[in-house]
Amino acid sequence: MPQTGLTRFIFSNPNSVSDDKPIFIDAESGNVISFGQLRNLSLRLNAGLRRHGFKKGDTLCIYSSNTIDYGVIVHGTIAAGGVVTTANAAYTADELLFQLQESNSKYLVTNDENLDKALEAATKAGLSHKCVFLFGNRTIKGVRPYTQVILANEEAEAEEYTFEEAKSTTAYLCFSSGTTGRSKGVMSSHLNIAANCVQIAQAMKPHMDYHTARFIGFLPFYHIYGLSVMLHLAPYWGIPVVVMPRFDLVKFCEAIQKYKVTIAHVVPPVLVLLAKEPIVDNYDLSSATHFQCGAAPLSAELSTAVNTRLNTKCVQSYGMTESSPGSHIQPLDDDEHGVIGKMLPGMRAKIVDDNGNEVGLGQRGELWMAGPNIMQGYLNMPEATAATIDSEGYLHTGDVAVLDERGTFAIVDRVKELIKYKGFQVAPAELEALLLTCEKVADCAVIGVYDEQQATELPRAYIKVTEGTPRNEATIKELIRFVDSNVANHKKLRGGVRFLDVVPKSAAGKILRKELRVIANAEAQPKFNARL
C-alpha cells in the first residue's frame, strides 16, 4: 500500500510521463493543464492558502460544475494539509448551507453561475465573503478569482504524512445520502483514496496502455466517481482527461471524435442514449476501446445493445462513496453481461443472509466488504458508522449480491431504501419531510420507480392530501412544483405523484415501501402523466 500522503502519491509519476503531457483538456476551448503545470499550480495554491491563514485540518468546499482547474483546488488544498468537501453543483443554497456547516468549511470556491447561491449559503453559515473565491478570471459582486488571491507565485512543499498518519487523516468529505434524511459526510483518508488508485491500477494493468489512453470527463467532479477517476487516477497514471462541464450527447460525441478518447466512464442513462439516439450515427466513436459503467446498476440488455451498436466493449464496475469508491471491476476479457466483475486486490467480502450468516455460491445475500479503501466513518455520526461498519471492518453495503464459481459478482437487488437517479442518491425521508411541510399534504411516502427508457430510478411520491384538497392534475402539478423549487435537480419528483387514502405503515409507524412497490408494479398505465 502507499506509504505517503496523497499529494506525494498522486505526483509520484509511476509511468514517467513528461511534465508537458496534457492532463486536463477543455473540450470546447482546447486549453490545457499539463502534468507539470498541475503539480506547480497545486503547490502554489498550497503556498497561497497557508499565507492566508489556512491551517492543517481546515476544510475547503468546492461548489462548481467541472472545469479544467478543479483539480488545482483539490490537490492544492490536500497539499496544504486541508480537507476537501465537494458540493453538488445543483444544490440549493440551503442544501449547500447544510454541507458548509457540517464540514465546518473555512473557504468556498464556486463558479459564476452558482455565485448567488454560494453567497447566500455563506452568509447564513457565518462565512465571510472574503473567504469565497471564483473559478475563471472575472471579479463578480466583489468576489475575486482564486488565482488573484490565494494562488502564490512560489511553490510550497506539500504536507508530509507517515503511513499511520495517511491512514488516519481525512482528505475528503463527500456527502452520501442516507435513508433517514440528510446526507452524511463520508470521511475518506489519504490512504483510502491512494490505496484505491493502486487497487484499480493493478486490476486494469493487463488492459491499459497508459501512453495512448484518453478519458472523457463529464462525470461531475464533486461526485466520488468523477473525483476518483478524473482527478486522481488520471494524473497518477498520466492519462489526459477531456473535461466537459456537464453531459451533453452531441458535445460528448464531438469530443470523443475530436480528441480520440479511448475510455469513456459513464452511467447507465448515457448508455441508453448511445444505444438508441439516431444522432450518434453522425460521429466516429471508433477510438473508444470500451465504456466503463458505474454509479448505478447496468442491465445485461443495455450493455449488449451498446456493444452491438458501437462494436466496443461495455463493462461494469461497482463501488460506493464509502469504499473510496471502487470495490469491483469487470475485466475487459469477460464477455458476460449484467455482472460487476471481480473484487479488487486487497479486499475481502462476505455475502450473508438476514442473520449475518454466509451463504453459498449462487445464493442471494447482502454484500459485506472490507479493505484499505473502506472509509474511516461518517462525520460526527458514530452511531451511523457503527451501523455500517462492523467490528471486523466489514462495510455493510445494503446491496444484494450473488457470487459465482469464477469469483464474479452480480448485484441483483438493494436492501436499503435509497433511490438512485442517474447515479445520484436520493433519500426518500428527505423528500417526505419536505412534502409534509406543504399544507395540502396530510401524509406521504416516496419510493423509486424504474424507468426502462432512461435506465434509472425516478422518485415518486404517494400522497394522502388534506381534507378539501382535490385529487386532480392541478394538485399534482402544484405538488411537483413545490418539491422542484426546494431541492436539487436530481431529487425532483420525475416519477410523478399518486394519491392514496392511507399511506401503508407498520404498527410501529414505519412506512411499508414494499406495499407501495407492489402498487407501482401493478400499474398497467399511469393514472396521471406527471412531467418526467
Side-chain angles (χ1 to χ4, degrees):
M1 291 189 292
Q3 302 294 308
T4 65
L6 193 52
T7 305
R8 292 186 185 274
F9 169 78
I10 291 297
F11 294 110
S12 62
N13 198 5
N15 293 319
S16 302
V17 302
S18 62
D19 273 357
D20 61 356
K21 184 174 182 179
I23 294 298
F24 298 118
I25 306 167
D26 186 282
E28 293 192 12
S29 70
N31 291 337
V32 166
I33 293 179
S34 69
F35 181 79
Q37 287 173 326
L38 178 62
R39 181 181 58 233
N40 170 257
L41 290 168
S42 298
L43 296 179
R44 286 170 58 193
L45 187 76
N46 167 23
L49 284 171
R50 292 172 187 268
R51 183 180 298 165
H52 282 79
F54 191 83
K55 299 180 179 62
K56 186 176 180 179
D58 283 350
T59 301
L60 180 148
C61 178
I62 308 176
Y63 175 52
S64 172
S65 54
N66 295 357
T67 176
I68 62 167
D69 53 344
Y70 198 111
V72 172
I73 303 296
V74 166
H75 293 297
T77 304
I78 297 298
V83 179
V84 175
T85 186
T86 52
N88 187 328
Y91 269 174
T92 63
D94 284 342
E95 289 170 322
L96 175 62
L97 170 63
F98 174 79
Q99 188 161 334
L100 290 175
Q101 292 175 325
E102 284 292 294
S103 64
N104 193 26
S105 292
K106 301 296 176 63
Y107 287 89
L108 174 61
V109 181
T110 188
N111 57 352
D112 54 357
E113 62 184 313
N114 280 353
L115 180 58
D116 288 342
K117 290 183 289 184
L119 291 176
E120 180 183 344
T123 299
K124 292 179 178 178
L127 184 65
S128 170
H129 289 191
K130 293 181 179 179
C131 296
V132 180
F133 306 101
L134 279 166
F135 285 106
N137 54 20
R138 293 190 302 149
T139 297
I140 305 173
K141 297 185 177 179
V143 178
R144 298 169 65 188
Y146 79 89
T147 53
Q148 296 179 11
V149 186
I150 53 172
L151 186 67
N153 292 323
E154 74 285 351
E155 298 181 1
E157 285 294 318
E159 190 74 30
E160 185 53 283
Y161 298 87
T162 65
F163 173 77
E164 289 300 323
E165 288 171 338
K167 187 177 180 180
S168 60
T169 302
T170 300
Y172 294 101
L173 284 172
C174 293
F175 277 67
S176 174
S177 295
T179 58
T180 56
R182 288 288 197 175
S183 56
K184 302 187 290 290
V186 174
M187 298 186 293
S188 302
S189 71
H190 285 248
L191 181 65
N192 288 154
I193 301 295
N196 201 226
C197 286
V198 173
Q199 290 171 310
I200 296 171
Q202 289 183 4
M204 293 300 293
K205 188 174 182 179
H207 314 287
M208 180 79 70
D209 183 345
Y210 302 109
H211 301 291
T212 60
R214 283 197 168 195
F215 293 167
I216 185 164
F218 71 86
L219 294 171
F221 292 168
Y222 57 76
H223 188 280
I224 189 66
Y225 187 7
L227 179 68
S228 171
V229 174
M230 306 305 161
L231 300 187
H232 291 83
L233 281 172
Y236 171 67
W237 283 340
I239 294 177
V241 178
V242 179
V243 178
M244 298 174 58
R246 58 188 58 83
F247 181 76
D248 176 279
L249 180 60
V250 170
K251 292 180 179 179
F252 173 77
C253 293
E254 287 176 346
I256 291 179
Q257 177 177 280
K258 178 179 179 180
Y259 294 101
K260 305 301 180 187
V261 170
T262 63
I263 300 171
H265 294 82
V266 298
V267 290
V270 171
L271 294 179
V272 171
L273 298 176
L274 292 174
K276 297 182 178 181
E277 285 294 325
I279 198 170
V280 174
D281 291 330
N282 296 340
Y283 298 92
D284 178 7
L285 307 183
S286 61
S287 63
T289 59
H290 75 277
F291 292 91
Q292 186 79 45
C293 187
L298 172 64
S299 68
E301 293 78 11
L302 181 53
S303 62
T304 300
V306 173
N307 283 172
T308 301
R309 185 181 188 189
L310 300 180
N311 191 31
T312 188
K313 293 287 293 187
C314 183
V315 294
Q316 188 172 186
S317 55
Y318 171 82
M320 305 170 65
T321 306
E322 290 84 346
S323 60
S324 305
S327 63
H328 297 71
I329 290 183
Q330 184 181 5
L332 287 180
D333 55 5
D334 181 3
D335 293 327
E336 188 173 357
H337 294 278
V339 298
I340 59 171
K342 300 182 183 298
M343 193 163 50
L344 290 178
M347 296 195 71
R348 59 191 191 277
K350 298 179 182 180
I351 297 179
V352 303
D353 61 21
D354 292 342
N355 298 314
N357 300 315
E358 292 190 55
V359 301
L361 291 177
Q363 294 183 299
R364 296 161 58 105
E366 184 182 1
L367 174 63
W368 293 3
M369 55 193 192
N373 52 315
I374 301 302
M375 67 170 182
Q376 297 172 286
Y378 295 117
L379 179 67
N380 301 325
M381 301 181 73
E383 292 183 1
T385 299
T388 305
I389 302 177
D390 63 29
S391 59
E392 295 181 329
Y394 283 96
L395 172 72
H396 298 195
T397 68
D399 287 317
V400 179
V402 172
L403 175 66
D404 68 18
E405 64 282 353
R406 301 180 305 147
T408 298
F409 291 75
I411 301 296
V412 295
D413 206 342
R414 192 156 71 245
V415 175
K416 54 192 178 182
E417 299 170 347
L418 280 177
I419 300 165
K420 274 206 168 182
Y421 171 69
K422 295 187 176 180
F424 293 101
Q425 296 174 338
V426 181
E430 181 180 356
L431 295 182
E432 289 157 1
L434 174 62
L435 280 164
L436 288 172
T437 66
C438 178
E439 61 181 11
K440 296 190 174 183
V441 176
D443 199 1
C444 66
V446 175
I447 64 169
V449 291
Y450 192 76
D451 183 334
E452 290 186 357
Q453 294 298 315
Q454 299 183 62
T456 191
E457 288 182 320
L458 305 176
R460 174 182 291 173
Y462 286 84
I463 292 177
K464 176 183 177 182
V465 295
T466 53
E467 186 174 352
T469 299
R471 293 167 46 150
N472 58 18
E473 182 71 12
T475 299
I476 287 178
K477 290 181 178 179
E478 184 177 348
L479 292 171
I480 289 176
R481 283 195 301 269
F482 173 79
V483 172
D484 285 2
S485 63
N486 286 283
V487 299
N489 181 61
H490 66 281
K491 300 178 185 178
K492 293 179 179 180
L493 293 177
R494 288 179 168 81
V497 168
R498 304 291 186 268
F499 296 122
L500 292 175
D501 294 327
V502 177
V503 174
K505 296 182 180 178
S506 68
K510 185 177 180 180
I511 295 171
L512 299 176
R513 300 185 198 277
K514 287 185 178 180
E515 293 190 16
L516 294 176
R517 292 189 183 101
V518 170
I519 294 172
N521 292 336
E523 283 188 2
Q525 291 183 346
K527 186 175 181 181
F528 299 106
N529 293 319
R531 175 178 55 79
L532 295 181

